């Protein structure tokens, strides 16, 4: 789909047709995470980004986790 970047107040916008939102499983009002790299902008549902931590924690087992290490008080964190 070819579209153009336009101006809306102080922001740049890219109109997304309903068909694109539906294909991505997104809806108006959804919170999204926007990541930019040279020549590319990726938009994804924010809860997918947050869910990654939950997935990582769910995968923790006694076999793949090290024991905690007590370094004692190193600085001002005890104040």
């Amino acid at each position: 789909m070819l579209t153009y970047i336009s101006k809306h107040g102080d922001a740049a916008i890219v109109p997304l047709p309903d068909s694109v939102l539906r294909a991505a499983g997104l809806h108006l009002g959804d919170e999204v995470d926007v990541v930019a790299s040279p020549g590319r902008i990726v938009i994804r549902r924010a809860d997918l980004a947050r869910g990654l931590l939950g997935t990582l924690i769910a995968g923790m087992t006694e076999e793949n986790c090290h024991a905690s290490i007590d370094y004692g008080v190193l600085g001002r964190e005890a104040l």
Side-chain angles (χ1 to χ4, degrees):
M1 178 194 97
L2 183 62
T3 188
Y4 296 92
I5 300 172
S6 58
K7 188 163 180 66
H8 182 72
D10 289 339
I13 65 167
V14 176
L16 301 173
D18 287 339
S19 60
V20 171
L21 291 175
R22 275 195 309 274
L26 296 171
H27 302 89
L28 291 177
D30 283 355
E31 185 177 8
V32 295
D33 181 35
V34 180
V35 180
S37 60
R40 179 180 298 212
I41 298 172
V42 177
I43 302 170
R44 63 181 177 181
R45 187 179 301 114
D47 60 354
L48 293 177
R50 285 194 202 115
L52 179 59
L53 177 60
T55 302
L56 292 172
I57 291 173
M60 292 172 62
T61 65
E62 291 201 22
E63 292 79 31
N64 66 12
C65 292
H66 62 78
S68 62
I69 300 170
D70 184 3
Y71 291 102
V73 177
L74 300 175
R76 299 181 60 181
E77 65 267 15
L79 297 178

